[in-house]
Amino acid sequence: MPDTVLDKLPALFATVLLGWAAARWGWLTDGRKGGAGGADPARVLSAAAQYLFIPALLFRAMARLDFAHMPWRTLAAYYGPLLAMVLAVYLVQRWRLHGAAGMALSSTQAAVPATRAVTAGFGNSVQVGVPVAAALYGEAGLAIHVPIVSLHALTLLTLLTVLAEADLARARLRHADGRGGSMAAAVRATVRATLIHPVVLPVLAGLGWNLLGLPLPAALDEWLRLLASAVAPLCLLLIGLSLGRQSLHGTLRGVFSIALLKLFLLPVLVLAAGKWVFGLEPLALSVAVMAAALPPGSNALIFAQRYRTLETETAAATLLCTLAFALTAPLWVLVLARIPG
């Protein structure tokens, strides 16, 4: 990979290592109280990311999005295979948890399918993806990559939040009445939980602001930008904190599956769709495939921590796939260079 890309990776790993050390040596805890007022520091930081910093990032991104100049064919070639794979992972995971007898998901299992799906699909399109696109393809490539980034949260996080909340609503109703509850009650619970979700609400609010044609005042834009700038380091610290508190025993099989899906299967699907279905020109095809080949993003861990499921597996997948990306990225660059234009 180009030096400008390799220069970014040590900073990412160093921040994760800092979080791991903080967990191992208790830098964020009060030995007399077992934490900040007895609270788990990882939970406190995760809540700050979920309710303060990520909403600012999402609202600002959606409010500033320029729909008039989006490369829709490239976006279709990227998001079509991505959504198909994510939904397939979700459905397979849900079927496996149901079992052959068709048993309902328990409340502790309900968010597992959506969490595995978001880890398999949500790429690190900013911290790793932006320098990759800029280094490999320059300003022209970055102009194609940025629209892909802009719709990432809107599509993946919103879709999988709805699926997770629907599964949770069904599980709660089944436990409440022992029969599964009414579909209407499940729908009401899902809609209510989705609309006030800290991912979906700022996306919808930002989208509404954008569609009304309202400009962001300079002071508001600067405040949102400042809050959004905390997302990357905070999420990387949380990966280290999660790894420092838990053993990786029992997670490596899931991590290996995520790596195969994210680093190999998804780029193959996007390559096939972009080349033979949408007929993308070489630059757009290369940018879309490299975006698909990115390792999981740290927002997947925030998703897992919100639903308190697969946290260690998600953190390990994010870290280890990022390490593996240093080897798989040059492979995809070589593959793309050999495809006739």
Side-chain angles (χ1 to χ4, degrees), residues 15-24 26-29 40-43 45-46 234-246 301 305 312 315:
T15 309
V16 172
L17 180 61
L18 187 62
W20 178 87
R24 284 292 181 179
W27 293 345
L28 300 180
T29 62
D40 180 352
R43 297 290 178 201
L45 292 178
S46 179
L234 189 54
C235 289
L236 291 170
L237 278 174
L238 284 168
I239 292 172
L241 284 169
S242 296
L243 293 174
R245 295 183 309 158
Q246 304 287 339
L301 178 59
Q305 288 179 327
T312 304

Side-chain angles (χ1 to χ4, degrees), residues 144-181:
I144 299 171
H145 180 77
V146 168
I148 292 176
V149 176
S150 66
L151 295 179
H152 222 166
L154 173 64
T155 53
L156 279 185
L157 292 183
T158 302
L159 171 64
L160 290 165
T161 293
V162 171
L163 294 176
E165 293 294 341
D167 287 339
L168 283 168
R170 282 191 291 266
R172 288 167 184 154
L173 285 169
R174 176 167 291 274
H175 285 294
D177 62 17
R179 300 185 308 276

Side-chain angles (χ1 to χ4, degrees), residues 125-136:
S125 55
V126 175
Q127 296 159 293
V128 177
V130 168
V132 165
L136 293 176

Side-chain angles (χ1 to χ4, degrees), residues 1 5-6 9 13 128 263 295 320-331:
M1 269 188 295
V5 178
L6 292 175
L9 295 181
F13 296 137
V128 177
L263 301 179
L320 296 179
C321 288
T322 303
L323 285 168
F325 180 72
L327 300 176
T328 59
L331 172 66

Side-chain angles (χ1 to χ4, degrees), residues 14-329:
T15 309
V16 172
L17 180 61
L18 187 62
W20 178 87
R24 284 292 181 179
W25 289 298
W27 293 345
L28 300 180
T29 62
D30 184 335
R32 296 167 300 175
K33 298 180 180 179
D40 180 352
R43 297 290 178 201
V44 173
L45 292 178
S46 179
Q50 290 178 50
Y51 292 102
L52 299 177
F53 303 120
I54 290 177
L57 173 68
L58 296 176
F59 178 86
R60 183 172 185 264
M62 292 309 302
R64 293 162 53 92
L65 194 59
D66 184 4
F67 287 100
H69 297 91
M70 299 290 277
W72 294 112
R73 201 154 50 95
T74 302
L75 293 173
Y78 176 80
Y79 280 103
L82 173 60
L83 292 176
M85 189 194 79
V86 162
L87 288 173
V89 170
Y90 168 80
L91 292 172
V92 168
Q93 290 294 314
R94 198 165 188 277
W95 174 80
R96 289 179 62 186
L97 288 174
H98 269 268
M103 296 172 58
L105 296 175
S106 69
S107 56
T108 56
Q109 295 174 317
V112 167
T115 301
R116 281 221 168 98
V118 77
T119 309
F122 199 98
N124 193 339
S125 55
V126 175
Q127 296 159 293
V128 177
V130 168
V132 165
L136 293 176
Y137 307 113
E139 289 296 323
L142 196 58
I144 299 171
H145 180 77
V146 168
I148 292 176
V149 176
S150 66
L151 295 179
H152 222 166
L154 173 64
T155 53
L156 279 185
L157 292 183
T158 302
L159 171 64
L160 290 165
T161 293
V162 171
L163 294 176
E165 293 294 341
D167 287 339
L168 283 168
R170 282 191 291 266
R172 288 167 184 154
L173 285 169
R174 176 167 291 274
H175 285 294
D177 62 17
R179 300 185 308 276
S182 69
M183 180 60 69
V187 170
R188 286 195 301 271
T190 300
V191 171
R192 182 171 59 251
T194 300
L195 289 178
I196 62 173
H197 194 281
V199 166
V200 178
L201 183 59
V203 167
L204 294 178
L207 182 61
W209 190 289
N210 190 316
L211 294 177
L212 289 173
L214 301 173
L216 278 178
L220 175 60
D221 185 55
E222 179 61 24
W223 180 55
L224 293 172
R225 187 196 64 79
L226 179 63
L227 292 174
S229 67
V231 170
L234 189 54
C235 289
L236 291 170
L237 278 174
L238 284 168
I239 292 172
L241 284 169
S242 296
L243 293 174
R245 295 183 309 158
Q246 304 287 339
S247 168
L248 294 181
H249 180 70
T251 67
L252 294 183
R253 182 178 178 181
V255 170
F256 182 69
S257 299
I258 293 296
L260 288 179
L261 292 167
K262 188 69 191 74
L263 301 179
F264 294 100
L265 178 59
L266 182 57
V268 168
L269 295 176
V270 172
L271 175 58
K275 178 68 176 176
W276 292 291
V277 177
F278 293 95
L280 297 182
E281 60 275 13
L283 177 61
L285 179 66
S286 296
V287 172
V289 171
M290 291 307 297
L294 292 168
S298 50
N299 274 329
L301 178 59
I302 298 297
F303 191 96
Q305 288 179 327
R306 174 169 180 79
Y307 295 108
R308 302 202 173 192
T309 184
L310 301 179
E311 294 175 51
T312 304
E313 178 185 303
T314 304
T318 303
L319 178 63
L320 296 179
C321 288
T322 303
L323 285 168
F325 180 72
L327 300 176
T328 59

